[in-house]
Amino acid sequence: MPEPKIIQGGMGVAVSNWKLARAVALAGQLGVVSGTALDNVMARRLQLGDPDGSMRWALERFPARGIAQRILKRYFIEGGKPQGAPFKGVPLFSLNPPEELVELTVAANFAEVFLAKENHKGPVGINYLEKIQLPTLPSLYGALLAGVDYVLMGAGIPRAIPAVLDRLSRHEETTLKIHVQGAAPGKEFHAFFNPHRILKPAKPLKKPRFIAIVSSEVLATTLVRKSPVPVDGFVVEGATAGGHNAPPRGPLHLNPKGEPVYGPRDGVDLDGIKALGLPFWLAGSYADPGKLKEALARGASGIQVGTLFAYCEESGLTDKVKQQVIQKALEGRVEVFTDPVASPTGFPF
């Protein structure tokens, strides 16, 4: 499969949904679903009555029939819940999550990738945040069960993920070290996942390519040289990329609007990235045919585009929001603000 020239960014909870990723993949580029909070996304779609039937269709094809039936029994409401009635909650993740949450997470990630990939051969990826670690193992396993082609991860240093993908593709019990702020020196915490609690031993799964989202050549070099299993490539995001950005280097300074100030030290040495010998894509104000040509001329495989896809027909944003923002953009009245504290990841957003 040739390298895609365009990667559709994995934006926000259910914004970069299976419909959007499928449309991009059908066009021959890399469609990416957001893997964030898919347990809640599936549970709420089912409680809204699953109007298009997509969740039930995907669950019918989930390889563990008992799990699919339990999820439907727990969350599906024929015709949808009454307007104004609260959603039934989904349990929260911990180091020892309840079995129903693990099953829901595996099935929800399977469903989103399955629907994006159904009946075509275009590439489909899924995007996760390194900072959100507790759901990572069951989420990845669900995506692998659906045959995901790429896994992308940013918001941290995802050094362990390529080795995790190796083990999960072989249905092996897998652990992931969990970073706990304020933990006592020498005290370690780990999440555990056993695929055999979902499926009986089966033939190995296709291992997807792993693309790390980075903001510096230093991080890219670290992932190449110090990861137990090497990464397969990089998305290199600059400070103007939508969503999460790496904080500026050095002491934090804010401009008069309250945004982090980025300077020359925050630029990326693309020659250093290129010297690593792996494919890379550029992101952050590259959504333009001229910028794509520029990226290719600088040795990149292509570009990652997020914001434009967020406002296209297939994205999960409501039509009202899309129309309001597009109209303001046409009138030159759209303001983009990088908030230094809004995101629970601790990264500017």
Side-chain angles (χ1 to χ4, degrees):
M1 183 182 295
E3 301 286 4
K5 286 187 171 63
I6 297 175
I7 296 177
Q8 166 240 316
M11 310 151 291
V13 177
V15 175
S16 188
N17 58 21
W18 66 267
K19 294 179 181 178
L20 174 56
R22 177 180 171 80
V24 174
L26 284 168
Q29 303 305 318
L30 178 53
V32 178
V33 296
S34 169
T36 303
L38 284 176
D39 50 353
N40 278 273
V41 170
M42 171 173 271
R44 291 195 172 200
R45 286 172 176 165
L46 290 172
Q47 290 176 77
L48 291 171
D50 189 24
D52 63 0
S54 59
M55 293 296 97
R56 285 167 290 168
W57 175 258
L59 284 171
E60 283 179 13
R61 281 139 189 87
F62 186 61
R65 293 296 307 137
I67 290 175
Q69 291 166 0
R70 286 194 290 273
I71 291 171
L72 288 170
K73 183 177 180 180
R74 190 175 296 124
Y75 293 108
F76 179 62
I77 300 175
E78 186 72 49
K81 69 177 185 63
Q83 188 172 3
F87 285 100
K88 182 178 183 178
V90 170
L92 295 176
F93 262 95
S94 66
L95 283 177
N96 298 293
E99 196 68 18
E100 68 177 76
L101 177 58
V102 174
E103 293 179 349
L104 176 62
T105 301
V106 174
N109 281 263
F110 168 88
E112 203 74 7
V113 174
F114 167 82
L115 291 167
K117 285 183 63 67
E118 191 178 22
N119 295 328
H120 68 87
K121 295 182 179 180
V124 168
I126 192 164
N127 178 285
Y128 298 107
L129 297 172
E130 163 69 14
K131 285 268 188 174
I132 303 179
Q133 293 186 296
L134 293 174
T136 295
L137 296 179
S139 297
L140 286 171
Y141 189 62
L144 264 65
L145 286 175
V148 71
D149 301 295
Y150 288 78
V151 170
L152 300 90
M153 185 177 283
I157 305 175
R159 186 181 301 169
I161 301 304
V164 164
L165 292 172
D166 264 1
R167 295 187 64 84
L168 291 178
S169 69
R170 298 191 296 266
H171 308 280
E172 295 176 0
E173 186 170 349
T174 308
T175 66
L176 180 67
K177 183 178 179 180
I178 302 298
H179 302 286
V180 177
Q181 189 168 350
K187 181 72 171 177
E188 291 191 355
F189 299 85
H190 294 84
F192 297 87
F193 176 73
N194 185 357
H196 295 174
R197 297 178 71 174
I198 304 296
L199 290 177
K200 293 181 179 180
K203 65 179 181 179
L205 302 168
K206 179 185 73 176
K207 181 188 173 186
R209 300 182 68 187
F210 180 70
I211 306 298
I213 302 173
V214 301
S215 59
S216 73
E217 72 283 359
V218 175
L219 176 53
T221 301
T222 297
L223 288 169
V224 168
R225 295 179 179 174
K226 296 187 177 181
S227 295
V229 176
V231 301
D232 296 303
F234 304 98
V235 169
V236 183
E237 289 191 343
T240 61
H244 294 95
N245 303 122
R249 296 185 185 182
L252 178 64
H253 297 288
L254 304 179
N255 65 18
K257 292 170 57 179
E259 299 176 297
V261 176
Y262 291 86
R265 293 178 62 193
D266 301 303
V268 182
D269 177 8
L270 290 184
D271 289 333
I273 297 283
K274 186 177 178 181
L276 296 173
L278 294 173
F280 64 95
W281 292 260
L282 302 182
S285 304
Y286 276 91
D288 174 270
K291 298 294 285 187
L292 172 57
K293 291 181 181 178
E294 176 188 321
L296 295 173
R298 299 182 73 177
S301 295
I303 58 176
Q304 177 181 268
V305 179
T307 303
L308 288 184
F309 284 117
Y311 295 97
C312 73
E313 182 177 318
E314 295 87 353
S315 91
L317 287 177
T318 64
D319 289 340
K320 182 179 180 180
V321 169
K322 294 177 192 175
Q323 292 164 4
Q324 288 176 340
V325 175
I326 291 171
Q327 185 59 41
K328 287 185 177 181
L330 292 171
E331 297 169 358
R333 296 191 296 115
V334 168
E335 180 181 357
V336 177
F337 178 76
T338 300
D339 196 306
V341 296
S343 173
T345 66
F347 284 79
F349 179 81

